[in-house]
Amino acid sequence: QVQLVESGGGLVQPGGSLRLSCAASGSIFSLNTLGWYRQAPGKQRGLVASIPRGGTANYADSVKGRFTISRDNAKNTVYLQMNSLKPEDTAVYFCNLDQRNSIIGRTSRYWGQGTQVTVSS
């Protein structure tokens, strides 16, 4: 019912930049939060940044000042601009949608397939 498709990952040198995009389609409710998580090999998935519809963004401390999350509600698309990339940013980046069905009082979580970001010389 909901599909999230990421794009924009790749290989970049330290100090470089990438912009990730995630397009959501299907039954998108108005009360929702779009975000990005990442998972490095052998580690758990963790929040990078998120932004509620009509709200303010929040960031992990490790990316604050370097990454910027934004969204285009007309396109149901969320972006992650990543600047000053570091090797420790290397991970699979996953798009996330959390949305609330107010009728049944339940929040549902959806994930994209992930896109690889590798920061290396």
Side-chain angles (χ1 to χ4, degrees), residues 4-5 11 13 16 21 26 29 31 35 38 45 61 67 70 74 84 88 93 95 103 106 112 115 117-118 120:
L4 304 174
V5 180
L11 175 64
Q13 293 183 342
S21 299
F29 302 158
L31 184 58
R38 67 186 181 186
R45 188 176 303 184
D61 288 340
F67 292 9
S70 61
S84 301
E88 50 263 45
Y93 284 69
C95 181
I103 301 300
R106 183 179 299 276
T115 184
V117 172
T118 302
S120 176

Side-chain angles (χ1 to χ4, degrees), residues 7-88:
S7 62
L11 175 64
V12 65
Q13 293 183 342
S17 298
L18 284 173
R19 191 177 81 146
L20 306 182
S21 299
C22 172
S25 62
S27 299
I28 310 300
F29 302 158
S30 60
L31 184 58
N32 69 73
T33 296
L34 287 164
W36 292 94
Y37 289 69
R38 67 186 181 186
Q39 186 170 20
K43 297 184 178 180
Q44 291 189 334
R45 188 176 303 184
L47 175 69
V48 177
S50 65
I51 181 168
R53 184 185 181 98
T56 57
N58 59 278
Y59 299 90
D61 288 340
S62 59
V63 307
K64 194 172 298 182
R66 299 188 298 120
F67 292 9
T68 302
I69 189 171
S70 61
R71 58 186 291 165
D72 185 334
N73 293 325
K75 298 180 179 180
N76 287 322
T77 299
V78 63
Y79 306 93
L80 185 68
Q81 179 66 46
M82 303 184 293
N83 299 325
S84 301
L85 282 162
K86 304 175 181 179
E88 50 263 45

